[in-house]
Amino acid sequence: MMVDKFLSISYKFFYTFSVSTCSSILFCCLMKALSERMPQMEKRPRSKPMSGKTVTLLCVTSFLVGFLLSGRVWLLQQPKRESNSMINHGSKVSLFTHDCENKRILGEMRPTDVMNEVTKTHQAIQSLDKAVSSLELELAVARASKEYGGLGLKNPKSAPQKAFAVIGINTAFSSRKRRDSLRETWVPTGSKLKKLEKEKGIVIRFVIGHSATKGGILDHSIDFEEAQTHDFLRLNHVEGYHALSTKTRIYFATAVAMWDADFYIKVDDDVHVNLGVLATRLAQHRARPRIYIGCMKSGPVLSQKGVKYHEPEYWKFGDEGNRYFRHATGQIYAISKDLAAYISINLPILHRYANEDVSLGAWLIGLEVEHIDDRSLCCGTPPDCEWKAQAGNVCAASFDWACSGICKSVERMKEVHGMCSEGDGALWNWTLS
C-alpha cells in the first residue's frame, strides 16, 4: 500500500512538472520569436525591444505559475478521486484480491492436489451431515423418552453417555444362579466392569423390569443384588415370559436414551460370549448404517395351540405350514444405533408377536436394513466351539439349539468357558480402530 501511494504521488508530481515545463517552453519560444521579429514587422518601433534577460525571467515566472496552478488543481481533485475510489472499489479490492489469490493457488496446484482438496471438502460435508443426523436422532429419542414417561429412568434429562456397545443380558427374578454363573466366567465384575466401560466403551447390564406388585419381595431381592453388583438395567416393565416382545422393545428404547452407542446387543443369560471376538465382529460393521447382526433363520410358523413358540397370529403369515421371514435367532443379536433409535421413536406402534425374535425381525423387515448372517454368534457347546477355538476360529457366542441356550447352564457355564474361551487377555488387548 505504501509503495502504491508513493508511485501515485510521484506520477502526479512528474505530470505537473511536465505540464508546467512544456507550457513554459512554449511561452518562452513565443516571446523570443516576437522579440526577434518585432523590429522587422514595424519600420518605426513604438517601444524598445525586450532583452534576453527579460525573456528568461518571464519564462521562469511562467514555469513557477504553471507548476503552482497545476499542483493546486491536482490537490483539489485528489481527495475526491480517492474518496470515490474508496466508495466504489474499496469493498471490491479485498474480494478481487482474495479471489485472484485463490485462482493463483488453484492454478499452481497439481491435478492430484485439486482432487485431494475436493475429497477433503466432500468428507467434511459428509461428517457434517452425519453430525446433523446424529443430533436429529438424539432429539427424537429424547422426545420419545419424555412422551413415554421417561421409561422409568432415574435422570431422563441427562445426556446419553458415549459407548461403543451396550450389551443387555435378558434375565428374570428366578435367575440369580444364572447371573452368578456369568459373573464367574465372561461378565466382568466390580472395578473390571467399570474399567471395561471406561477403556473399551463396552457396557454390560442385566436387564430386568419389576414385578406385578411393584415394590414387593421380588423387587427388593433385585435391589439387594444391585447394591452388591451394580450391573443392572431396570426397566419400566412388568416381567413375564409372554411379554418378552414388549420387554425387548422397552430395553432398546431405554438403552438408546441412556447410552449413545454404535451397537445395542441383546443376549440371554444362558449363553456364553467371548467379548473380545464379539467386539471385533461388531467393529467391522461400524461405518455402515442400519445394521442387523445375528444368526439368521426362518423357522416354521406354529399354529397349534399348546405347543412351545405357538403363534396366535399365524394367519398373518399365509397358509398353514408357512415359514417366518428371515430374522436373527433370539439367543443373541445386535442392531446399530439408528435402528435402536427407530424402535425408541416408534415405540407405541410396533406390533408384538408371540416370539420376541420374530417381533424384532418384523419391525425391521420393511426398512432399508442390512441383514448380516454371522455364524460365529451361534456356535455349539463343546466339542464344537472347542474345535473351532483350537483351529483359530474362536466363536463369539456358544449355546445349544436344543435348549435355546446352554443346557443346564448353571452347572456347565464354567466348563464351556474353560474349553471355548478366547483367553483373559483377548478382551483387554482389543482396541477400537
Side-chain angles (χ1 to χ4, degrees), residues 407-418:
C407 299
K408 298 181 179 179
S409 64
V410 174
E411 295 82 8
R412 297 184 58 223
M413 187 62 69
K414 285 187 178 180
E415 172 197 345
V416 175
H417 183 70

Side-chain angles (χ1 to χ4, degrees), residues 261-313:
D262 293 321
F263 294 98
Y264 299 85
I265 302 97
K266 177 262 176 182
V267 58
D268 289 339
D269 60 4
D270 56 353
V271 173
H272 180 269
V273 177
N274 283 317
L275 292 173
V277 179
L278 176 62
T280 301
R281 307 291 288 194
L282 294 176
Q284 294 173 357
H285 310 292
R286 189 184 183 198
R288 299 153 78 177
R290 299 179 298 281
I291 297 296
Y292 176 30
I293 307 173
C295 286
M296 300 296 166
K297 67 174 185 177
S298 177
V301 181
L302 302 178
S303 59
Q304 298 86 357
K305 292 183 179 180
V307 300
K308 192 176 183 180
Y309 308 127
H310 166 62
E311 179 59 71
E313 297 181 89

Side-chain angles (χ1 to χ4, degrees), residues 383-404:
D384 181 42
C385 59
E386 183 182 12
W387 291 342
K388 291 178 179 177
Q390 292 174 355
N393 299 318
V394 182
C395 295
S398 301
F399 57 87
D400 299 310
W401 284 103
C403 301
S404 297

